[in-house]
Amino acid sequence: MTSETTTHSPEETIAFGRSLATELSPPLIVVLRGDLGAGKTTLVKGIAEGFGAARAEDVTSPTFTLVHEYRGPHTTLYHIDLYRIDTQRDLETLGLDDLLAPNCILLIEWGEKFPRLQRDQNVEITLERVGETDRRIQRTTR
């Protein structure tokens, strides 16, 4: 099942993430696709707020730390950035399998680089820049 929406500002992208959180339930693997600057982390800001796991301003890109954990009252979110991970061996050292528990959602940026994550994902969200602040967001659920 695929759905699509367009947001016109970072605030709208965050608001969309908050509403999207109501449709996600753990355990899940969500692959976030999009070029650099497409709004993946901005969307995660809203998802984290929707789960009561973090305020939008507290969510940052995990580009250098690779994994950020946000604990909500009922759900733990792991925001993972694989941009700098290039090999299956490097991926395995992150221990992603250990993170996926009954109350957890893995939000994985650049997961499409790894066939296993493509195969195991439950949801794929693609963000595309269609203007200076406009983003087309397509969600595909398996």
Side-chain angles (χ1 to χ4, degrees), residues 64-77:
F64 296 103
T65 57
L66 303 180
V67 179
H68 285 171
E69 178 180 343
Y70 303 104
R71 288 186 179 268
H74 306 289
T75 303
T76 299
L77 303 176

Side-chain angles (χ1 to χ4, degrees), residues 27-141:
L28 279 180
I29 296 174
V30 179
V31 170
L32 302 166
R33 295 180 69 132
D35 293 335
L36 288 170
K40 297 178 296 291
T41 295
T42 303
L43 182 67
V44 171
K45 289 173 180 274
I47 293 171
E49 276 195 344
F51 278 102
R55 297 176 307 160
E57 58 268 18
D58 294 330
V59 174
T60 59
S61 174
T63 300
F64 296 103
T65 57
L66 303 180
V67 179
H68 285 171
E69 178 180 343
Y70 303 104
R71 288 186 179 268
H74 306 289
T75 303
T76 299
L77 303 176
Y78 290 99
H79 184 196
I80 301 156
D81 189 327
L82 301 180
Y83 182 74
R84 297 167 9 110
I85 301 297
D86 292 319
T87 67
Q88 184 66 35
R89 181 181 171 136
D90 289 341
L91 178 67
E92 290 169 7
T93 64
L94 292 178
L96 299 184
D97 292 333
D98 297 333
L99 301 179
L100 194 58
N103 68 327
C104 295
I105 296 177
L106 277 55
L107 302 163
I108 305 174
E109 297 187 25
W110 304 100
E112 70 273 11
K113 292 171 54 175
F114 297 95
R116 183 185 137 229
L117 293 174
Q118 285 282 108
R119 183 182 65 247
D120 293 348
Q121 73 185 5
N122 307 101
V123 178
E124 180 175 279
I125 300 173
T126 303
L127 293 95
E128 178 185 3
R129 182 182 296 153
V130 292
E132 189 165 326
T133 59
D134 296 351
R135 300 295 185 265
R136 180 178 304 124
I137 304 171
Q138 183 177 66
R139 180 184 65 186
T140 303
T141 306

Side-chain angles (χ1 to χ4, degrees), residues 8-28:
H8 304 287
S9 68
E11 295 78 20
E12 280 188 27
T13 301
I14 291 169
F16 178 73
R18 279 192 301 267
S19 68
L20 185 60
T22 66
E23 301 173 26
L24 301 174
S25 59
L28 279 180

